[in-house]
Amino acid sequence: MEYARAVGGTGVEYVHQRAEAFTTDDRFDLVYSLFMTLNYLPRAELRQVLRKLRELLRPGGHVVLEFGHLLNFVEGFQQHTVAHHRGDDGVLVTRLARQSINPHAANWRNEETLLVREHDGRVSMYDNFFDQSVLTGPEVRELLTEAGLRTVAEYGGFRKEPAPFHGRGPLVIVATAKEADSE
């Protein structure tokens, strides 16, 4: 957030807070969720977050959601991966990753260990894991409808590529307040 403030210029208010906890009397023309943020929310929180996004819109405003869809996860599944990256400074990072799927909860778990060898030979190890909800386009469209939003466009990326029917890539859904709600 400090970086955003430093380069954002004057007249910009920055808020770092969970969407469902954010309160304001202001309404906005655009609310967006990028970088698969929806996938990182527990499934039980999706309805509440989407309702909150709807509340934040002015009449005629839009919500833009980018998320990883089911086929993106299926196409990218590799139970175990090892990857190396050597920087120009001589630092070597080795990533050991394990992916698992809980189909009953539609949950994707990523567990990883990073080994970092500094240019002086010191080695550090870092462990990390994160869960992602596996979402489908129909599921997100239904949640948007329940929140009082109407889907107006779908894309496979921010250059307005066609929505992916198979294979990798995000799904970008643009929605607006339903007509009865925006009058």
Side-chain angles (χ1 to χ4, degrees), residues 124-144:
S124 300
M125 183 171 76
Y126 305 92
D127 288 316
N128 182 37
F129 82 90
F130 56 92
D131 291 328
Q132 293 177 282
S133 296
V134 178
L135 304 171
T136 65
E139 175 184 18
V140 172
R141 285 190 294 276
E142 184 177 319
L143 289 168
L144 288 166

Side-chain angles (χ1 to χ4, degrees), residues 50-51 54 65 137-151 173 175-178 181:
L50 293 175
R51 280 189 208 112
R54 167 61 184 95
L65 304 174
E139 175 184 18
V140 172
R141 285 190 294 276
E142 184 177 319
L143 289 168
L144 288 166
T145 299
E146 288 176 17
L149 295 156
R150 180 176 51 89
T151 299
I173 293 182
T176 190
K178 289 184 180 180
D181 294 339

Side-chain angles (χ1 to χ4, degrees), residues 157-174:
F158 292 105
R159 293 185 177 92
K160 296 186 177 182
E161 302 95 319
F165 293 104
H166 55 76
R168 291 183 176 230
L171 187 58
V172 177
I173 293 182
V174 180

